[in-house]
Amino acid sequence: MYVEQRQYTFHPGKMPLWMDAYQNLGGPASARHMGPLLGFFQVEVGTINRVVFFRGWDDIDTREAGLAAREADPDWQAFRKRSAEAGALAQQEVKFLKTVPFSPITQAKGFQFKREIGGTGMFVDHRTYDFHPGKMAGWLEAYEKYGLPVQKRMLGQLLLFAVTEIGPINQVVFMWAYESLGDRDRRRTAMMSDPGWAEFGKAIAPLGALKQQTVMEMKPTAFSPVK
């Protein structure tokens, strides 16, 4: 399964204009012609004035036909006009990811989010890990064997786990959902003292795999299917 991750950064003060146009025009047009929306989030901690959103594709070849059909949709044309008039966008980035076998989402068709965490709020911990060439596979194997069982037991809800297919390669992208930032802190603090997490640390230490780790904290928008 392909996951298209889009990251849009806005000029200060302009994001609400674009978001309103997308929610009422661009989003509905995209839903008619594109793969399912897997989540739409606003960055709370990290680079602000930014949204990150995801679409799923079981057959990536259908994307081109969907793009062409969307361009002819009157709602999409109206959205493009309003977006251009707002002059909101400062930067856009697109990555194509592929889900790993243990990702909770491995199929776009019929996607429907089921909330497993308590409460009503949500913060999403979005993590991007960059690896030295040739080292990622060994880290993933150790993570699935040692790290993932601990995190599934102690953290929030795993939303997605994928590797970059097109974009910066040797990169893993994954997301965990929490009730709040306090919930995240408490769970991660407890995890760090768990013996199973220490075993994972021992397993990956000789690999020297990680080059860089980047974390963003995001909140779902009102129209995100994940919330």
Side-chain angles (χ1 to χ4, degrees):
M1 172 191 175
Y2 274 93
V3 175
E4 182 174 353
Q5 174 183 297
R6 287 183 167 262
Q7 184 170 276
Y8 288 6
T9 307
F10 300 89
H11 295 292
K14 296 293 187 74
M15 187 166 71
L17 298 171
W18 187 93
M19 291 284 280
D20 180 71
Y22 187 85
Q23 181 175 0
N24 293 293
L25 296 168
S30 295
R32 287 192 288 272
H33 306 292
M34 307 293 283
L37 182 66
L38 305 180
F40 202 111
F41 308 96
Q42 181 174 335
V43 176
E44 289 282 313
V45 183
T47 301
I48 59 172
N49 299 305
R50 174 175 287 177
V51 296
V52 183
F53 58 107
F54 305 81
R55 289 197 178 276
W57 303 92
D58 291 323
D59 179 359
I60 196 63
D61 286 338
T62 63
R63 180 177 180 271
E64 292 302 310
L67 286 169
R70 188 177 67 176
E71 284 297 324
D73 191 303
D75 278 352
W76 185 253
Q77 294 171 3
F79 163 70
R80 292 283 294 268
K81 183 174 184 295
R82 283 182 57 181
S83 178
E85 289 171 351
L89 283 165
Q91 186 179 13
Q92 297 169 283
E93 178 189 274
V94 182
K95 294 179 186 177
F96 278 9
L97 314 172
K98 274 194 171 180
T99 54
V100 301
F102 58 82
S103 174
I105 303 173
T106 56
Q107 183 175 299
K109 184 178 180 181
F111 169 73
Q112 189 171 3
F113 176 67
K114 181 180 179 181
R115 185 182 172 108
E116 297 174 358
I117 58 174
T120 57
M122 180 183 286
F123 274 85
V124 174
D125 195 75
H126 179 289
R127 292 179 168 258
T128 304
Y129 286 8
D130 291 270
F131 294 87
H132 295 288
K135 300 294 185 76
M136 187 171 72
W139 186 93
L140 280 170
E141 183 179 352
Y143 178 77
E144 183 177 10
K145 184 176 180 179
Y146 298 106
L148 181 61
V150 177
Q151 292 197 323
K152 288 178 74 173
R153 174 165 49 85
M154 303 196 72
L155 297 187
Q157 180 176 353
L158 181 61
L159 300 178
L160 174 73
F161 207 109
V163 298
T164 304
E165 180 74 10
I166 302 176
I169 59 172
N170 299 304
Q171 194 175 78
V172 163
V173 175
F174 59 109
M175 299 189 293
W176 288 87
Y178 299 93
E179 295 178 39
S180 66
L181 288 179
D183 177 49
R184 172 190 180 274
D185 288 348
R186 288 186 291 272
R187 289 177 179 274
R188 290 192 62 84
T189 298
M191 180 192 72
M192 296 302 291
S193 61
D194 187 275
W197 191 248
E199 286 298 311
F200 171 59
K202 290 178 184 176
I204 63 171
L207 301 176
L210 279 166
K211 182 165 60 175
Q212 179 174 289
Q213 297 166 282
T214 306
V215 182
M216 295 187 293
E217 296 303 321
M218 313 186 302
K219 293 184 75 172
T221 62
F223 55 89
S224 174
V226 174
K227 58 184 177 181

